[in-house]
Amino acid sequence: MEDKSSQTSEQSQDVQSSLTPGEPPVDFMHIKLEENEPIDFGTKDFILKKAREVCKCNHQTIITFFCQLFPVLDWLPRYNIKMQLLGDVISGLLVGIVAIPQSISYSLLANQDPIYGIYTNFFCSIIYVAMATSRHNFVGSFGVLCLMIGQSVNRHLQLAGYDDNTGSLLVGNATSSSNGTGTCDRSLMLIAALICLLSGLSILLGVLQLGFVSVYLSEPLLSGFVAGSSLTIITSQMKYLLGLNIPRHEGVGSFILTWVDLFRYIQNTNICDLVTSLVALAIIIPVKMINDRYKDKMKAPFPIELLVVIIATVVSYYLNFEERYKSSVCGAIPTGFRKPTLPDTKLFSSLAVDALPIAIIGFAMTVSLAEIFGKKHGYAVHANQEMIAIGMCNLVPSFFYCFASSAALTKTLLKESTGTQTQLSSLVTSLVLLLVLLWIAPLFYSLQTAILGVVTIVNLRGGLRTFGETPRMWQLSKLDTVVWWTTMLASTLITTEIGLLVGVCFALLCVIFRTQRPRAAVLGKVSNTEIYEDQSAYRQLSSIANIKIFRFESSLYYANKDYFKTALYQKTGVNPVLLAARHHRAETQAKADTGNRKSVFNTAFGCLKPSKKRVEKSPTGIRLPSLDMHTLIIDCGAMQFIDTTGLSVLKETRHDYQELGVQVLLANCNPLLRRRLRDGGWAAGAHGGQLAFHSVHQAVQFAQQWYHEQRERIITTFLSVPIKRP
């Protein structure tokens, strides 16, 4: 007995000496940090506080307000002409040259006349200069948005009774063409302008500081959506490259139906348009590849698109492709500006559904590009202000029959690569477009629509390039790759709007799935350190005797409560509920067997009565665990929060393990989690608030100290009891 007592005291001294080497022993029973009182504003106090901040009116607040609303007032007075002007002018000229053919080709994609694409890029360039926080974004016509606008315009024209191919009004089985074409053209403009106006209402989200909604559109989701939309755009432009006159399909399966029609009517291909398209592709694609390969050595990329457009227009004019080969051309493009007009509000309700995904995609692309280049060049981008800016870029131009816009990927990359310094380069671009609007636009009369289709397709290389990145993405994250493919396929095979919705819902479900079935691990200690890591991930980790450390790498809430218990029982190898049930069955069976034997005994020997079995308890009333563990430590470092269901699960877990003589400790709890535990009654135990520790190592040392103190107490009590000799 004396040997056991001395051995126990030596173990206790070893534990104390291991707590803080070289320093006096620490009493882990009384380590407790004093928390600050949480700042909790009621709803009324919060609203009043914000109202006071907004309603302050003095000279400084007015200046601050206008500088925030119009960031140009902040950076323009500090503009360095010597250092920044040359780069802005060169970049603006090059972007303007590229924007001319793209404005015309994207108008075709949006089912609009070419002049309105130039309007859109012109007005957006001016407005975005004054209100943007990004120095590199170019806001104008964007291929994906133009596709969605064109689909919406065509759908509403069909509902109104217009023929997609002729633009004539269908009356019964007869076709009215007297003034149907003019009415259809006006309907095209009004529908697109109204969508633009509704998209501009996103400015309210920026005013309400709701720019955070863009975080729900993840990078794989946006990339998959752009890739799927690129395939749809290519499909829609194939009829122009082949010179076919086929209907534009809408709704579910339009991608497949369009290809079916292409092969059905391929015998009607216009040879002139086909040859022109192939020649243009053979010229533009290699030159663009050279531009990309040697972009670091070239001061500016070669404007091959504009050169091809000019040459094609001249050749088409002098060879009279329209008359001789029935080739489709742009036709008359007016000059000047139209009078501003308020779009017809009668279609507000029906177009709002189409405008919502357009506004979301436009805002998400603008903020994403702005943040990318902001991080690259070391300046801050404000999402809410970008939402206001893109909202104004849609709201004001809608009165001039423009269509919805966003940051254009190709032209933004061109701006950044050609050395732009500020948004002043967009003003130079708008001057180039102004020249086209006032004088140059009619010269594009003979430009073939096949050339515009080629320009549209070759600018989709960025979206198609993401297909080659999917193997690398699969290696990094299989779940993100599944999100990419799901969004891409839904956007291609169903519709772009439904594809976006499917992608968002699927991405959110993936987040829920990740938190519903997170990683769980049993931790081991790195020798001679206070570091604890996953035993299945690292070698040479030592287990702590009679202590299990369990890490749950997610917040604990109602959706993963069952998985938490399952993982805990599996990793620790101890299922307290199952053991308790077995123990209960064993006790029931033992009582039944004892009762049967007692009945037989009394029958045979009625005069004899068995004595009751005496059960001795330890003098301290503490029962040492019969399992290979006396403490379970739950590492809560990855738990950001727990709800009421999660708190109940923790309480049930502690109760179930305590029934087996195993104490449950929590470690690495953040202040919010500790406060929730305290308010939920977790700390109302034998050790008070010390059931939640600030580190795993502290919890381990507490468990070792507690266990050896209990052993010493039991042994001391046992040795003090006198032994009765016969």
Side-chain angles (χ1 to χ4, degrees):
M1 293 299 179
E2 293 178 357
D3 294 339
K4 291 184 178 180
S5 177
S6 60
Q7 183 180 359
T8 303
S9 61
E10 289 176 1
Q11 291 176 350
S12 177
Q13 291 175 1
D14 292 339
V15 172
Q16 287 287 347
S17 62
S18 67
L19 301 181
T20 50
E23 296 182 4
V26 180
D27 186 3
F28 292 97
M29 298 285 288
H30 298 90
I31 293 180
K32 187 175 182 180
L33 296 178
E34 184 176 354
E35 298 182 7
N36 294 324
E37 289 295 328
I39 301 174
D40 185 17
F41 292 106
T43 306
K44 181 179 179 181
D45 295 336
F46 178 78
I47 295 175
L48 291 176
K49 181 175 178 291
K50 288 295 183 181
R52 293 191 193 99
E53 293 178 357
V54 174
C55 295
K56 280 184 179 179
C57 186
N58 53 49
H59 180 71
Q60 186 61 36
T61 55
I62 293 175
I63 293 177
T64 304
F65 171 76
F66 279 102
C67 287
Q68 290 178 350
L69 185 60
F70 301 100
V72 67
L73 300 176
D74 182 43
W75 60 262
L76 188 59
R78 297 181 283 105
Y79 189 82
N80 192 326
I81 297 178
K82 294 182 180 180
M83 299 294 295
Q84 298 176 324
L85 183 60
L86 181 61
D88 286 340
V89 171
I90 294 176
S91 177
L93 287 174
L94 293 173
V95 173
I97 291 172
V98 172
I100 294 171
Q102 288 189 10
S103 300
I104 300 174
S105 61
Y106 284 163
S107 300
L108 189 69
L109 185 61
N111 207 2
Q112 300 292 302
D113 289 336
I115 190 65
Y116 300 113
I118 303 176
Y119 281 164
T120 300
N121 286 277
F122 172 76
F123 286 111
C124 290
S125 298
I126 297 176
I127 296 171
Y128 195 72
V129 169
M131 306 194 71
T133 58
S134 172
R135 303 175 191 172
H136 296 85
N137 269 2
F138 178 87
V139 172
S141 53
F142 180 50
V144 176
L145 294 191
C146 292
L147 171 67
M148 299 172 72
I149 294 166
Q151 291 175 343
S152 178
V153 169
N154 186 63
R155 182 164 53 251
H156 284 84
L157 285 181
Q158 290 179 350
L159 292 176
Y162 290 99
D163 183 31
D164 179 54
N165 297 319
T166 64
S168 301
L169 182 65
L170 300 178
V171 183
N173 293 326
T175 302
S176 175
S177 58
S178 58
N179 64 345
T181 303
T183 306
C184 180
D185 292 339
R186 179 170 175 79
S187 299
L188 289 171
M189 295 182 298
L190 289 176
I191 294 173
L194 189 55
I195 294 174
C196 184
L197 175 62
L198 291 171
S199 300
L201 295 179
S202 63
I203 188 175
L204 297 177
L205 300 179
V207 174
L208 296 175
Q209 305 291 299
L210 297 178
F212 65 89
V213 297
S214 62
V215 301
Y216 294 103
L217 300 178
S218 64
E219 183 178 348
L221 187 150
L222 283 176
S223 177
F225 178 76
V226 171
S229 300
S230 298
L231 293 178
T232 306
I233 292 172
I234 292 174
T235 301
S236 67
Q237 298 301 296
M238 287 301 298
K239 67 178 183 180
Y240 300 112
L241 271 65
L242 299 175
L244 296 177
N245 188 15
I246 60 175
R248 185 170 182 172
H249 296 282
E250 303 297 334
V252 179
S254 59
F255 177 83
I256 298 176
L257 292 175
T258 301
W259 280 104
V260 170
D261 283 348
L262 286 173
F263 285 105
R264 180 184 299 172
Y265 299 104
I266 198 170
Q267 69 274 7
N268 299 329
T269 299
N270 189 305
I271 302 300
C272 178
D273 287 340
L274 178 61
V275 172
T276 303
S277 302
L278 294 176
V279 172
L281 287 171
I283 295 173
I284 294 177
I285 292 179
V287 175
K288 276 191 164 291
M289 293 175 65
I290 294 173
N291 285 340
D292 291 341
R293 184 171 183 178
Y294 298 101
K295 62 181 179 181
D296 296 332
K297 298 180 180 180
M298 301 172 63
K299 293 184 178 179
F302 187 75
I304 185 62
E305 293 169 328
L306 181 63
L307 182 62
V308 168
V309 166
I310 293 174
I311 294 175
T313 303
V314 173
V315 172
S316 175
Y317 175 77
Y318 283 104
L319 297 182
N320 198 11
F321 284 169
E322 183 182 13
E323 296 288 338
R324 295 174 60 182
Y325 303 106
K326 305 301 179 183
S327 182
S328 177
V329 297
C330 289
I333 303 177
T335 58
F337 294 93
R338 297 178 63 96
K339 293 181 180 180
T341 306
L342 179 67
D344 191 0
T345 58
K346 294 180 180 179
L347 296 176
F348 256 39
S349 58
S350 59
L351 288 175
V353 178
D354 296 334
L356 180 61
I358 292 174
I360 293 175
I361 289 297
F363 167 67
M365 292 299 300
T366 302
V367 173
S368 298
L369 289 175
E371 290 179 346
I372 289 173
F373 292 111
K375 291 178 182 178
K376 182 177 180 179
H377 294 276
Y379 62 88
V381 173
H382 303 291
N384 290 313
Q385 180 60 30
E386 288 296 317
M387 181 174 279
I388 294 174
I390 197 66
M392 290 298 294
C393 287
N394 285 320
L395 184 63
V396 175
S398 66
F399 300 110
F400 296 89
Y401 299 97
C402 300
F403 47 83
S405 60
S406 72
L409 178 61
T410 305
K411 294 184 277 291
T412 299
L413 293 173
L414 179 61
K415 277 186 67 173
E416 193 268 341
S417 62
T418 52
T420 186
Q421 299 291 323
T422 66
Q423 280 294 339
L424 193 66
S425 61
S426 294
L427 287 181
V428 179
T429 302
S430 64
L431 292 177
V432 176
L433 295 174
L434 181 62
L435 293 176
V436 177
L437 285 171
L438 296 180
W439 295 290
I440 303 176
L443 300 179
F444 293 106
Y445 177 92
S446 299
L447 178 62
Q448 293 171 270
T449 55
I451 296 296
L452 298 179
V454 169
V455 172
T456 301
I457 290 175
V458 296
N459 283 287
L460 298 174
R461 293 179 307 127
L464 298 177
R465 197 177 291 125
T466 56
F467 281 93
E469 299 173 359
T470 52
R472 175 63 176 168
M473 188 189 303
W474 178 262
Q475 294 178 356
L476 296 176
S477 175
K478 293 179 174 56
L479 210 54
D480 285 343
T481 310
V482 174
V483 171
W484 189 94
W485 278 102
T486 301
T487 308
M488 188 277 297
L489 292 175
S491 302
T492 303
L493 301 178
I494 307 177
T495 63
T496 51
E497 296 87 351
I498 297 178
L500 176 62
L501 180 61
V502 169
V504 172
C505 294
F506 187 76
L508 292 177
L509 286 176
C510 288
V511 173
I512 296 174
F513 175 77
R514 285 174 174 175
T515 59
Q516 190 173 1
R517 299 185 66 85
R519 281 189 81 251
V522 173
L523 306 185
K525 183 182 179 182
V526 181
S527 301
N528 300 322
T529 67
E530 298 180 1
I531 301 173
Y532 297 82
E533 283 295 345
D534 184 1
Q535 289 184 337
S536 63
Y538 299 96
R539 299 178 181 178
Q540 299 177 348
L541 297 179
S542 58
S543 300
I544 310 299
N546 299 324
I547 298 176
K548 297 288 186 180
I549 307 172
F550 175 75
R551 176 190 289 167
F552 192 68
E553 298 182 357
S554 173
S555 298
L556 182 57
Y557 66 112
Y558 67 93
N560 59 15
K561 61 180 180 65
D562 294 330
Y563 181 75
F564 171 82
K565 286 187 174 182
T566 302
L568 176 63
Y569 300 158
Q570 180 182 3
K571 294 294 182 180
T572 59
V574 178
N575 188 335
V577 178
L578 183 60
L579 292 178
R582 289 178 179 175
H583 181 67
H584 179 70
R585 286 198 300 269
E587 285 186 345
T588 304
Q589 185 66 32
K591 289 180 180 179
D593 294 342
T594 303
N596 292 335
R597 289 196 299 268
K598 180 178 179 181
S599 176
V600 173
F601 185 81
N602 288 339
T603 303
F605 306 97
C607 59
L608 300 176
K609 294 184 179 180
S611 60
K612 295 183 179 180
K613 185 178 179 181
R614 181 182 178 185
V615 179
E616 295 185 357
K617 297 182 180 179
S618 61
T620 59
I622 298 175
R623 178 166 55 94
L624 293 177
S626 59
L627 304 172
D628 62 345
M629 59 183 290
H630 59 73
T631 301
L632 170 65
I633 300 174
I634 300 177
D635 183 4
C636 303
M639 293 186 186
Q640 296 181 356
F641 69 92
I642 57 172
D643 61 359
T644 54
T645 305
L647 182 59
S648 300
V649 170
L650 287 179
K651 289 182 177 180
E652 291 174 6
T653 301
R654 181 176 66 175
H655 176 268
D656 293 340
Y657 276 98
Q658 282 181 342
E659 290 293 317
L660 301 179
V662 178
Q663 68 169 345
V664 179
L665 306 179
L666 304 182
N668 283 331
C669 299
N670 61 55
L672 179 62
L673 195 60
R674 296 173 67 87
R675 195 174 297 119
R676 176 63 62 86
L677 292 170
R678 184 178 63 248
D679 296 341
W682 168 268
H687 306 292
Q690 288 302 314
L691 291 177
F693 294 85
H694 296 283
S695 69
V696 173
H697 189 64
Q698 182 187 1
V700 169
Q701 292 176 322
F702 171 83
Q704 291 175 335
Q705 181 179 349
W706 171 84
Y707 179 70
H708 289 290
E709 286 178 355
Q710 304 312 313
R711 286 181 61 90
E712 286 183 354
R713 187 182 306 172
I714 294 173
I715 293 173
T716 303
T717 305
F718 178 75
L719 293 177
S720 64
V721 176
I723 300 177
K724 295 182 180 181
R725 298 182 181 275

